[in-house]
Structures are given as C-alpha cells and as structure tokens.
Amino acid sequence: MTQHPTKPLAVHTWDWKDAPDFEAINKVVNDFLARFGNGISLLEVSTGSDEYAVVIGDKDLTQEQANDAYANEEDIANGVDASGFDWEAAEKHLNTIRGHYASIGIPGVMGLTLILNPLLTRYSKGERSAPLYEAMLAAE
C-alpha cells in the first residue's frame, strides 16, 4: 500500500494470483475517516496488465485522479501530488520553447527531436509525473 503522507490518497496494487490486502485497505479507510472526515471513495483502476489496483481517497476523488495516482505511485509515496501542478503553464512554456527551436531552423531540429518533442509526447499520452513537470519547466 502506497500512501501520501499528508493527503487522503493511497494506492493499493496486487497481482492477479493474489488477493487484495483487505486488512491494509481497512486500516487506510479508517485512518482517512479519522484524520480527514470527508468520506471515502475507493476506485478501481485499469492497469492494462496482470496487476489490479484500487485508489483510496476522499469522497470527491474522480476516476481521472485515481488513474493519475496509480500512474504516479512513486510520487505519491514521496508526498508529491502531481495533480496540483499547473500543467497548463508547463505545456505553454514547452510550446513556447519548441517555437523558439523551430524558428532557428536546422540547428534547432536536434533539440526538438531529442529533448522537447519527447516531453510533449509523454505529456500528450497523459503522463502527469513530477519529473515530467520539472523537465517541461526546465526546458530552455
């Protein structure tokens, strides 16, 4: 069970051959109710593999947030919640930098191909991780 240290957000995964750890799920649900008192949501996430996952959050947890939490489980464990980042500003910044590289012609192609376009591709495919956010804003 991966649990955010300060927010009502936890991700529980298990292999298809195993059963979920209901004791751990119960402990997290009771902890969230005691600490946050806003109700609980437990949403299943499609993993695309032999792994199953549920995300536990407050009653306002959406499926999109649950999917993001599963995709960024490592960030959750480190206390980072990428859903709070200003992704619109990061995308705007990246596109501005891409425009600068494109405007310089052939010399800018390498930067576009090797650095900037792969960041845009990851973003376009739905990745919302702290390392991606930082890389998008650090692009120069």
Side-chain angles (χ1 to χ4, degrees), residues 16-85:
W16 70 274
K17 296 177 280 186
D18 300 322
D21 185 347
F22 290 110
E23 186 175 319
I25 293 170
N26 187 50
K27 181 179 177 187
V28 168
V29 167
N30 287 332
D31 177 52
F32 284 1
L33 286 172
R35 287 195 302 152
F36 304 108
N38 190 30
I40 296 296
S41 288
L42 190 118
L43 298 176
E44 181 181 5
V45 174
S46 176
T47 66
S49 69
D50 290 341
E51 180 176 68
Y52 293 96
V54 292
V55 175
I56 306 166
D58 68 11
K59 70 178 181 180
D60 299 324
L61 181 70
T62 66
Q63 189 64 53
E64 182 180 346
Q65 291 169 327
N67 294 342
D68 287 344
Y70 170 74
N72 301 302
E73 188 173 358
E74 186 176 319
D75 288 343
I76 299 294
N78 294 324
V80 177
D81 183 3
S83 66
F85 294 162

Side-chain angles (χ1 to χ4, degrees), residues 117-128:
N117 288 345
L119 294 175
L120 183 61
T121 299
R122 289 169 54 193
Y123 176 78
S124 297
K125 288 184 176 181
E127 180 182 337
R128 299 294 184 270

